[in-house]
Amino acid sequence: MSAPPPIEDLAIVGDTQTVAVVDRRASIVWLCLPRFDSAACFASLLGGPEHGRWSVTPRGELVSSRRRYRGDTLVLETELVTDHGTIRVTDAMPVRGRAPDIVRLVEGVSGEVTVDVELVLRFDYGRTRPWVRTLDGRVSAIAGPDAVVLTTPADVVDDPNALRSTLTLRSGDRVPFVLTWFPSHERAPEAIDAERAIAATASWWTEWASRCRVDGTNRDHIVRSLVTLKALTYAPTGGIVAAGTTSLPEALDGNRNWDYRFCWLRDAAFTLYAMLHAGYRDEAEAWRDWLLRAVAGDPQDLQIMYGVAGERMLDERTIPWLPGYGGAAPVRIGNAASRQLQLDVYGEVLDTFHQARRLGVPPDEASWPLQRTIADWLESNWRRPDEGLWEVRGPRRCFTYSKVMAWVAMDRAVKAVEQHGMSGTVDRWKRARAEIHADVCAKAFDAERGTFTQSYGDRVLDASLLRIPSVGFLPARDPRVRGTIAAIEKDLVRDGFVLRYPTGEGKNLDGLEGREGAFLACSFWLVDAYVLSGRHEDGQRLFERLVALRNDVGLLSEEYDVARKRLVGNFPQAFSHVALVNSARDLASSQGPSQERERT
């Protein structure tokens, strides 16, 4: 099996319904059609070329590769420099009309370069070879319900393993390729003009990015992260996936490999908070509507995650024919954590609704009854142990962060009545709020060490405790908060970056053995805690180190392997990018997200 590209060598293009993952050599190595969570037709990222990819390979010695996004867009340009000359590959996915299209424009920049284009289609996550035929000058490939059609002026040869084209390019030569998915029982869509599609895609993203109302020195970082978050939004419903991939390992060669192509309520709440503050109200309203549809019903049946259209059945299974990223098996499809109880999500959801009201998002008649029902249920159930923020696959515990966020839920419900005129059992909610606060301070605080702990009655630290001041539970200058920050600095920081919790000694919270990387969102939470506690310079220094971990096109995965100096985990990771946006704004203004929530 060939070595996979480093995760930091990956980029994406997308149409706000799915993403294609492109490596530094202009190979598309991961693509699910027609949705984020559909079966992949290019899966070489989790296996080898035989599991599907679309490569553009200049002959001769590759001297260098350089790439960029065109301005504030999701149009990707990759230049491959060889000893014979230079070619450029421009990739885009037009915002979808009837069908998803992947547009690739291969052009000569200098010299004379022979280029091999190889399209290996394997549906069902690399397992199924399609039936290939030529119709009306276009090449189609069909397997079960899936079909694609390739449109190009280049000569295409169908051999037993791939569709191949050989190009000889001089400066100014331009050869387009368009791959279009459609249901196999329907007629293929009409071909689109590749160059017009690229221009229209660039214009769409430029216009969207221009609506960002954030200014300052970190604006470029913020805009790139917001564009990435928008790319992870499923436009038909407003759902936001946690990442565009599955099973990229949290530890290289390890088995912490999870499917992140679903909509976590927590991640979506964080994302929409960042979007709201940047001026993207339409996205907030779309997510609110998705949420109302997805969680409709009894609050005790609320899931922590759903499919992009609100699906509840996300059963987890493994794909045995894929060896995994660099051999990191198993490859998982679906996510068993969807059936867990995680009390913190109730707080995240009610806090997001609260912030939306505060920032002027027009109310929806159905949203308050849902919030009131959630608050009433949580009032009677906040004492229950749960699997917590980190989705333990073991006995439930009374996680401190879960209780803190239950307090947030009660607090935001009270404020909805007192500040926004909503109706509800406010006296009961106030009592529950006070009870939760007292319970956390009594049972989650280790007075001997001067720090809050991961769960009631233990001595383990947890990076989620850094959010205690940013959600307004206690002020950052409270001695208990300061002590918690100091303890996390001492025990969870590696080379300046923050672990979620201690790992490596036997089985960890996720039920698996071994270490994992530093969790990037947690490291940004430390930035926020520094800012709130008056350590602005420490926050700025850490922020700059975190931003430097982004790859050459500004993208982050879930974690960072401090020892190997590699990005690890699924990619791109919404949690990492939304944390970057919020920390950037905290550093830039006394009215940043954490400061506002602390005062809320």
Side-chain angles (χ1 to χ4, degrees), residues 103-181:
V103 179
R104 315 202 77 185
L105 181 64
V106 186
E107 57 184 310
V109 176
S110 65
E112 180 177 294
V113 185
T114 300
V115 180
D116 294 315
V117 180
E118 180 185 75
L119 177 58
V120 182
L121 284 159
R122 296 291 184 269
F123 292 97
D124 299 323
Y125 297 103
R127 181 173 62 174
T128 304
R129 292 172 181 259
W131 170 40
V132 177
R133 56 182 177 160
T134 300
L135 297 173
D136 301 324
R138 305 164 79 191
V139 180
S140 73
I142 296 174
D146 299 297
V148 295
V149 61
L150 176 67
T151 305
T152 179
D155 292 330
V156 178
V157 176
D158 175 22
D159 74 14
N161 296 310
L163 299 174
R164 304 182 189 276
S165 294
T166 300
L167 314 173
T168 300
L169 300 176
R170 299 178 181 86
S171 177
D173 292 340
R174 302 159 73 88
V175 182
F177 295 82
V178 179
L179 188 71
T180 304
W181 180 93

Side-chain angles (χ1 to χ4, degrees), residues 123-425:
F123 292 97
D124 299 323
Y125 297 103
R127 181 173 62 174
T128 304
R129 292 172 181 259
W131 170 40
V132 177
R133 56 182 177 160
T134 300
L135 297 173
D136 301 324
R138 305 164 79 191
V139 180
S140 73
I142 296 174
D146 299 297
V148 295
V149 61
L150 176 67
T151 305
T152 179
D155 292 330
V156 178
V157 176
D158 175 22
D159 74 14
N161 296 310
L163 299 174
R164 304 182 189 276
S165 294
T166 300
L167 314 173
T168 300
L169 300 176
R170 299 178 181 86
S171 177
D173 292 340
R174 302 159 73 88
V175 182
F177 295 82
V178 179
L179 188 71
T180 304
W181 180 93
F182 61 100
S184 61
H185 63 277
E186 297 182 2
R187 291 178 59 87
E190 295 294 323
I192 65 171
D193 182 279
E195 301 214 33
R196 289 182 180 176
I198 290 172
T201 303
S203 294
W204 191 92
W205 283 104
T206 298
E207 190 281 327
W208 188 87
S210 71
R211 291 189 274 127
C212 176
R213 64 185 190 194
V214 175
D215 295 315
T217 56
N218 290 317
R219 188 180 190 281
D220 289 346
H221 302 330
I222 291 173
V223 169
R224 177 48 56 192
S225 287
L226 290 172
V227 166
T228 303
L229 293 170
K230 179 64 174 177
L232 295 174
T233 302
Y234 185 65
T237 66
I240 301 169
V241 299
T245 58
T246 179
S247 299
L248 292 183
E250 296 173 10
L252 297 172
D253 307 322
N255 57 359
R256 285 193 179 88
N257 316 320
W258 314 110
D259 193 349
Y260 277 12
R261 299 170 299 151
F262 307 115
C263 303
W264 270 253
L265 297 188
R266 178 188 308 107
D267 294 27
F270 279 119
T271 302
L272 264 295
Y273 191 69
M275 289 282 194
L276 273 173
H277 275 270
Y280 290 103
R281 187 166 296 184
D282 290 347
E283 283 72 14
E285 293 184 29
W287 179 83
R288 179 196 61 195
D289 295 342
W290 172 87
L291 177 70
L292 291 171
R293 295 189 300 270
V295 307
D298 193 326
Q300 69 180 346
D301 296 328
L302 184 142
Q303 295 186 184
I304 65 162
M305 72 179 84
Y306 297 85
V308 294
E311 296 89 349
R312 290 173 174 261
M313 301 296 288
L314 307 178
D315 296 340
E316 185 176 303
R317 63 192 190 279
T318 61
I319 302 295
W321 59 86
L322 284 176
Y325 179 85
V331 171
R332 292 183 171 93
I333 304 300
N335 200 307
S338 60
R339 306 308 302 175
Q340 290 184 350
L341 174 66
Q342 297 178 20
L343 292 174
D344 69 285
V345 299
Y346 296 88
E348 302 293 0
V349 169
L350 292 192
D351 183 56
T352 301
F353 277 119
H354 172 73
Q355 303 302 335
R357 281 191 295 271
R358 192 176 62 80
L359 294 171
V361 174
D364 180 275
E365 291 184 2
S367 66
W368 176 245
L370 170 67
Q371 296 168 67
R372 186 173 57 205
T373 302
I374 288 174
D376 286 338
W377 181 86
L378 195 58
E379 176 199 355
S380 302
N381 288 274
W382 66 266
R383 294 178 179 84
R384 295 171 60 181
D386 68 342
E387 280 88 3
L389 168 69
W390 306 129
E391 302 178 355
V392 303
R393 299 198 174 197
R396 291 179 174 178
R397 308 181 191 181
C398 287
F399 284 100
T400 302
Y401 184 72
S402 296
K403 305 307 183 193
V404 167
M405 293 310 297
W407 176 90
V408 168
M410 294 294 101
D411 181 73
R412 298 341 183 221
V414 168
K415 287 182 169 65
V417 174
E418 294 184 340
Q419 297 178 5
H420 299 279
M422 303 296 185
S423 61
T425 55

